[in-house]
Amino acid sequence: MTEAAATGTLEQALAHAARLLERDPTLAAEQLGEILQVAPGHAPALQLLAAARLLLGDLSGALAILVPLAQARPEWAAIHLDLGLALARGGRGQEAIAALRRAVALQPGLPQAWRALGDCLMAAGEQEAADAAYASHVRHSTRDPQLLDAAVALVENRIPEAEALLRAQLKRAPTDVAAIRMFAEVAARLGRNEDALNLLERCLELAPGFREARRNYALVLHRSNRPEQALAEIERLLAADPADVGCRNLKAVVLCRVGDYEPAIRIYAELLESYPDTPKLWVSYGHALKTAGHLERAIAAYRRSLELEPSFGEVWWSLANLKTFRFGADELAAMRAQLARADLAGDDRLHLEFAVGKALEDAGEYGPSFRHYAQGNAIRRTQLDYSADDTSARVRYIRGRYTREFFVARAGSGCPAPDPIFVVGLPRAGSTLVEQILSSHSQVEGTMELPEVTSITRLLRQQGDADEVMPYHAALAALDAAALRALGERYLAHTRIQRKTAAPLFIDKMPNNFMHVGLIQLMLPNAKIIDARRHPMACGFSAFKQHFARGQGFSYDLADIGRYYRDYVALMAHFDAVLPGRVHRVVYERMVEDTEGEVRRLLDYCGLPFEAACLRFFENTRPVRTASSEQVRQPIYREGVDHWRHYAAWLEPLVSALGPVLESYPEAPEGM
């Protein structure tokens, strides 16, 4: 037989084995074994044999072929794809990511590799990288030239161009589900989550089996503060593929959002078996453990993350942010060594500045500590578009709009349910302590800083006239009694998932809701509102040395903090005047000096009988999701009241900005 004939016969045998794979993998494996006896080491035959073994459930047998084959053929993209898929199936997530990255580096036009890479990255907690991989999957899975151009624009973050191309495509083909899904991604990137949800709902109506669209739908639901619906979509995805690691990670994230920490912790622990060398996954695990009160396990998780990535600033700050944790000398040296690196990423540097500031504060080195805090704040301030003038203008507008007559005209409106207790004020003012005390009462459940009021303000803003100075407030003022009642009922319905017990009352501890007292009064007139107030120097400096995960843009400049505190005092004084007795104020220093007396007054305001458990709040084991989580698991201590004085020499900008508010504390200045 000639060489050409032998080659032809071999190709025919391989083609026949490939056809056998799906309908009879056992027979295919037998034929491939025969081929390999004739042609030992034949790479395409080995690839097919590995595929046959996978279909037969022999994962270890498939990997025994794929691992050495990938080593022998480092330039062969398809074999790295197969290896990545097999490793992912075997729970070897980190190795799978490496193999899939190799595959797409060798051959970028492999849509299956991009999608699998996105799944693995999502499971590993690498959300941004996963989003980029999914975008590349869209780009490389389409053959339509119009969609291809839009996909390229989307991958390269040329959003206006992508939007224009997709609008044109959907005008031509309104039922193009791939285009609808991509248009939803554009809407999500522009922050138009409602539009994204509507588009994805239409996409799934046309193509219920479009798995990637359903995954996007679940993610946007989560980001839109609709955790119950997000979980329903995630469960639907997992019912079809229980091993979907990306969906399992998203489920853990959403479970943490709704306060179901123990099942989330179990999911993270399982994912870490497959992705043991993933720093971000260890951080997510540590956050869940910390909030659930498993402090030692959380510290161990954070330290494991740092072993894998010593420059990971967020982890150093997570340790510092435990408040009761103390760094050792070797850990301080390690942080300083990272800060000395010229190639340190900006986000890592930001977090490390705050962490080193905390370590030096604990060591009593207040001057160097302040310098690190100031540097961390300066870095963060450049990243934000915060305007103290805008905040002051908003407060002036609210004070002018929400008058006594305004509320009298709307008396009797809203939902009469008394369930929520809103704890408002500034961050680091003692609101977590108030929450912990109240949630120790048998009739009160603590939840978290709920984002629902903010979601409602966003909804009203969209309904308002864009030409209005403050469209949210204008839209709210235009609502009738039925619409205001509907808002209150919406609030209760959307927060129901956060309530785990039969307690009749629950706490919403979003401090920034002090800006929305008017809305709360109109939609939930029988809800309680508690203003947690702390000395402006103690509160202001505590905010300055705290790096918040999100929001609180005012807190990264001492003058901005002082002005924000003044605006807060002015606004609360206004509501005290137009709604006398509506808001109960808890002054932190009074709570420290006369805990029982203040607790009794607090419970009286809430219409609750005194319970001794409220004085032993530190024994309450419920999850706490704020920077004070460890502090409120201890008895009240006085040391924190005047701690700011160690830094008094550097706080003149705060003093100047506070003006007369400082002298009049805890009352508002006359005439404010």
Side-chain angles (χ1 to χ4, degrees):
M1 183 184 293
T2 66
E3 183 177 341
T7 301
T9 302
L10 181 59
E11 289 176 351
Q12 290 172 0
L14 280 172
H16 180 60
R19 288 192 295 271
L20 281 174
L21 262 182
E22 292 299 329
R23 70 172 188 270
D24 193 345
T26 301
L27 188 57
E30 290 175 2
Q31 181 162 337
L32 288 162
E34 293 173 3
I35 292 171
L36 287 165
Q37 285 183 354
V38 176
H42 189 276
L46 286 169
Q47 182 189 26
L48 287 173
L49 181 57
R53 288 184 175 178
L54 278 175
L55 289 170
L56 292 167
D58 181 9
L59 178 61
S60 60
L63 287 171
I65 295 171
L66 292 169
V67 170
L69 187 56
Q71 292 172 345
R73 300 289 298 273
E75 79 294 344
W76 191 8
I79 209 64
H80 290 283
L81 168 58
D82 289 351
L83 175 59
L85 294 173
L87 288 166
R89 185 182 300 185
R92 294 161 63 177
Q94 214 60 40
E95 295 169 84
I97 289 172
L100 292 166
R101 278 181 163 150
R102 176 69 179 162
V104 296
L106 290 165
Q107 189 175 334
L110 287 174
Q112 186 183 8
W114 284 113
R115 182 173 61 186
L117 179 58
D119 290 347
C120 289
L121 289 167
M122 189 170 177
E126 301 277 356
Q127 188 61 61
E128 288 186 18
D131 287 347
Y134 287 136
S136 292
H137 166 254
V138 172
R139 172 181 180 178
H140 294 293
S141 60
T142 180
R143 295 292 174 264
D144 185 312
Q146 299 292 334
L147 275 187
L148 183 59
D149 288 345
V152 170
L154 194 58
V155 170
E156 296 177 356
N157 210 35
R158 291 182 278 115
I159 301 302
E161 182 181 342
E163 183 174 18
L165 290 167
L166 289 165
R167 282 190 187 279
Q169 173 67 7
L170 287 169
K171 189 173 182 179
R172 287 189 299 270
T175 59
D176 185 335
V177 291
I180 295 172
R181 179 197 169 203
M182 290 168 65
F183 201 25
E185 173 67 17
V186 167
R189 291 201 194 180
L190 292 171
R192 303 199 305 252
N193 283 352
E194 287 297 323
D195 291 344
L197 290 172
N198 291 334
L199 287 162
L200 289 165
E201 285 164 8
R202 175 59 175 158
C203 187
L204 291 168
E205 179 185 322
L206 293 167
F210 194 170
R211 187 173 179 83
E212 287 75 19
R214 193 167 300 280
R215 185 199 297 274
N216 286 10
Y217 186 45
L219 189 59
V220 179
L221 283 168
H222 163 61
R223 291 173 176 171
S224 303
N225 187 33
R226 301 187 189 178
E228 197 164 11
Q229 293 168 267
L231 283 172
E233 295 301 324
I234 292 166
E235 293 298 351
R236 188 167 176 176
L237 288 162
L238 288 173
D241 182 8
D244 186 327
V245 289
C247 278
R248 288 166 63 205
N249 182 284
L250 181 57
K251 181 178 179 179
V253 171
V254 179
L255 286 172
C256 287
R257 169 70 68 87
V258 300
D260 289 337
Y261 286 96
E262 295 304 333
I265 287 168
R266 288 194 291 273
I267 293 172
Y268 282 132
E270 291 165 1
L271 289 171
L272 282 165
E273 292 178 6
S274 302
Y275 297 84
D277 299 327
T278 310
K280 287 189 177 179
L281 195 54
W282 281 105
V283 174
S284 297
Y285 185 45
H287 290 343
L289 288 166
K290 178 206 77 168
T291 308
H294 305 302
L295 183 59
E296 293 307 316
R297 291 168 63 194
I299 291 171
Y302 291 145
R303 283 182 164 147
R304 176 59 184 146
S305 180
L306 288 172
E307 288 173 10
L308 296 164
E309 190 175 332
S311 64
F312 200 164
E314 181 188 342
V315 190
W316 288 110
W317 170 242
S318 296
L319 285 167
N321 202 29
L322 292 172
K323 306 306 180 189
T324 56
F325 176 86
R326 297 293 180 265
F327 289 110
D330 55 338
E331 291 169 317
L332 177 57
M335 288 191 285
R336 282 173 155 161
Q338 293 299 325
L339 276 177
R341 288 175 46 183
D343 62 343
L344 185 66
D347 195 54
D348 291 323
R349 186 174 299 281
L350 160 68
H351 283 94
L352 274 161
E353 293 286 5
F354 279 98
V356 172
K358 175 62 167 58
L360 292 171
E361 177 181 352
D362 292 338
E365 298 182 39
Y366 300 115
S369 165
F370 183 82
R371 287 194 291 275
H372 282 284
Y373 282 141
Q375 182 59 30
N377 277 283
I379 295 170
R380 181 62 176 146
R381 188 67 181 84
T382 63
Q383 300 171 353
L384 300 171
D385 186 27
Y386 175 75
S387 167
D389 289 341
D390 287 350
T391 298
S392 297
R394 187 178 309 117
V395 168
R396 285 194 300 272
Y397 180 92
I398 294 170
R399 294 177 72 187
R401 173 65 65 101
Y402 293 87
T403 62
R404 188 184 296 250
E405 295 72 25
F406 177 92
F407 289 114
V408 169
R410 292 160 179 79
S413 298
C415 173
D419 303 29
I421 300 173
F422 293 92
V423 181
V424 305
L426 297 196
R428 310 299 296 148
S431 57
T432 304
L433 174 61
V434 172
E435 178 193 36
Q436 189 77 344
I437 289 168
L438 282 173
S439 65
S440 299
H441 196 283
S442 61
Q443 296 183 45
V444 183
E445 179 176 3
T447 58
M448 60 174 285
E449 295 180 354
L450 302 178
E452 185 54 31
V453 169
T454 302
S455 294
I456 291 173
T457 66
R458 192 177 298 120
L459 177 69
L460 290 168
R461 192 173 297 113
Q462 291 169 354
Q463 293 174 356
D465 185 343
D467 293 331
E468 286 278 353
V469 177
M470 301 278 177
Y472 141 47
H473 296 290
L476 178 60
L479 297 182
D480 61 19
L484 291 171
R485 182 186 183 100
L487 281 185
E489 291 171 346
R490 172 198 161 112
Y491 174 88
L492 293 174
H494 283 213
T495 54
R496 172 61 57 183
I497 194 171
Q498 299 284 352
R499 301 174 70 176
K500 314 300 180 186
T501 73
L505 305 179
F506 72 99
I507 302 167
D508 179 342
K509 197 198 74 67
M510 180 64 80
N512 308 69
N513 282 342
F514 80 85
M515 283 282 192
H516 310 300
V517 168
L519 168 62
I520 293 169
Q521 169 65 16
L522 293 177
M523 70 177 181
L524 290 160
N526 294 321
K528 303 301 181 189
I529 306 174
I530 298 162
D531 173 22
R533 185 166 297 185
R534 185 181 177 194
H535 190 281
M537 295 301 292
C539 183
F541 178 64
S542 188
F544 185 72
K545 65 178 184 171
Q546 176 72 40
H547 174 51
F548 297 94
R550 64 186 64 83
Q552 317 305 355
F554 72 92
S555 68
Y556 296 96
D557 178 271
L558 289 170
D560 285 348
I561 293 171
R563 288 189 60 183
Y564 195 85
Y565 194 103
R566 282 174 59 184
D567 285 331
Y568 146 72
V569 169
L571 188 56
M572 297 312 294
H574 170 75
F575 284 117
D576 286 344
V578 301
L579 294 170
R582 181 70 179 88
V583 177
H584 176 75
R585 185 155 297 113
V586 175
V587 175
Y588 179 79
E589 293 78 17
R590 292 174 182 166
M591 180 66 78
V592 171
E593 291 297 332
D594 179 19
T595 303
E596 182 171 344
E598 288 299 315
V599 168
R600 286 184 180 275
R601 282 185 280 275
L602 176 61
L603 295 176
D604 285 345
Y605 166 77
C606 293
L608 295 168
F610 176 76
E611 290 183 0
C614 294
L615 298 178
R616 301 192 64 78
F617 60 86
F618 46 87
E619 296 176 352
N620 188 336
T621 59
R622 73 180 187 89
V624 181
R625 293 180 251 191
T626 68
S628 304
S629 59
E630 299 314 309
Q631 291 168 312
V632 296
R633 292 189 172 109
Q634 300 177 350
I636 287 179
Y637 59 101
R638 179 170 174 81
E639 289 76 6
V641 172
D642 294 320
H643 186 76
W644 65 271
R645 295 185 185 281
H646 294 297
Y647 293 87
W650 303 284
L651 300 182
E652 180 54 35
L654 176 58
V655 173
S656 297
L658 286 167
V661 166
L662 181 58
E663 285 76 31
S664 64
Y665 177 80
E667 308 303 328
E670 294 236 358
M672 178 171 265

